[in-house]
Amino acid sequence: DAGVIQSPRHEVTEMGQEVTLRCKPISGHNSLFWYRQTMMRGLELLIYFNNNVPIDDSGMPEDRFSAKMPNASFSTLKIQPSEPRDSAVYFCASRGQYGELFFGEGSRLTVL
Amino acid sequence: SQELEQSPQSLIVQEGKNLTINCTSSKTLYGLYWYKQKYGEGLIFLMMLQKGGEEKSHEKITAKLDEKKQQSSLHITASQPSHAGIYLCGADPRANQGGKLIFGQGTELSVKP
């Protein structure tokens, strides 16, 4: 069975550019989560969706960040404009029946 | 808000030795999840604990949740190089199942052959 699929795995961009990260959750999972991981702050929840509806976006850093889930099998996290402090690994996860999260391999973002 | 504190932050052990990683919460845990992460990769789900006093084992890894449901431990018996990585505990801060998980800062484990 396919796990959570994220793309791209690596992204290097220049400050001010738009970045779009993509995620395909595990089929049948109704909740999707976006996390950001850095050495300084660890793993932080940015936003999560239940049945494609955003439930809690209190972790989204600022208006430059936005997330959408147009259908049950696809979500995007967009940063516009990007800044060097956005450099991190961004993880997408979907939730199993016992509350456990299944994570993708992550998208490593470097903003120069 | 609930916080999870892991100890130690890092650990270096000789292959074959036992070790324990702790995860302490400021509030009651309604679900405690252990994950392992290798550098540059995603988090791999290991085990979930929900009931006070619960204990689960998988191969050489045992996880326990104390009766008060505020502390969990992860014990590895006869460690191997394949156990090396970052171990993170995660918890559901709400009583109803199905919410977001918050995570500890992680414990980095190195196993010397």
Side-chain angles (χ1 to χ4, degrees), chain A residues 9 33 35 37 40-43 45 48 50 56 91 95 97-101 103-105 108, chain B residues 33 35 37 39-45 48 50 88 94 97-105:
Chain A
R9 288 296 311 279
F33 301 74
Y35 283 86
Q37 188 177 40
M40 291 298 295
R41 301 173 69 91
L43 200 59
L45 177 68
Y48 78 97
N50 279 348
D56 184 350
F91 286 103
R95 188 172 64 219
Q97 60 176 326
Y98 299 111
E100 74 276 32
L101 299 187
F103 284 80
E105 290 293 309
R108 182 174 294 275
Chain B
Y33 303 79
Y35 288 83
Q37 183 181 27
Y39 181 76
E41 300 180 11
L43 282 71
I44 304 298
F45 171 68
M48 176 188 71
Q50 284 188 306
L88 296 101
R94 299 188 304 187
Q97 198 176 53
K100 60 188 179 185
L101 293 189
I102 59 171
F103 287 88
Q105 286 289 88

Side-chain angles (χ1 to χ4, degrees), chain A residues 1-98:
Chain A
D1 290 339
V4 175
I5 300 172
Q6 290 186 246
S7 65
R9 288 296 311 279
H10 302 275
E11 174 93 9
V12 180
T13 190
E14 291 188 346
M15 183 174 63
Q17 297 297 308
E18 178 179 295
V19 173
T20 299
L21 307 178
R22 298 172 178 80
C23 175
K24 176 179 169 54
I26 293 173
S27 178
H29 286 187
N30 298 325
S31 297
L32 182 142
F33 301 74
W34 282 101
Y35 283 86
R36 177 172 68 176
Q37 188 177 40
T38 61
M39 289 292 292
M40 291 298 295
R41 301 173 69 91
L43 200 59
E44 302 174 282
L45 177 68
L46 299 177
I47 185 171
Y48 78 97
F49 297 83
N50 279 348
N51 296 315
N52 312 338
V53 176
I55 302 301
D56 184 350
D57 65 354
S58 59
M60 295 286 261
E62 47 197 272
D63 292 344
R64 297 185 298 106
F65 285 68
S66 62
K68 294 182 180 179
M69 192 165 185
N71 57 63
S73 59
F74 184 66
S75 177
T76 59
L77 178 68
K78 186 176 292 187
I79 309 172
Q80 166 64 19
S82 58
E83 295 182 3
R85 59 186 167 138
D86 301 330
S87 297
V89 182
Y90 291 81
F91 286 103
C92 175
S94 62
R95 188 172 64 219
Q97 60 176 326
Y98 299 111

Side-chain angles (χ1 to χ4, degrees), chain B residues 5-18:
Chain B
E5 186 172 327
Q6 287 187 236
S7 62
Q9 290 188 354
S10 63
L11 193 56
I12 302 173
V13 299
Q14 198 70 38
E15 182 178 357
K17 295 295 184 182
N18 302 338

Side-chain angles (χ1 to χ4, degrees), chain B residues 1 13 36 52 63 75 82 97 105 110-111:
Chain B
S1 61
V13 299
K36 179 184 176 184
H75 184 78
S82 61
Q97 198 176 53
Q105 286 289 88
S110 300
V111 180

Side-chain angles (χ1 to χ4, degrees), chain B residues 19-32:
Chain B
L19 64 106
T20 300
I21 298 169
N22 294 303
C23 176
T24 302
S25 170
S26 55
K27 298 181 180 179
T28 301
L29 297 165
Y30 291 101
L32 191 288

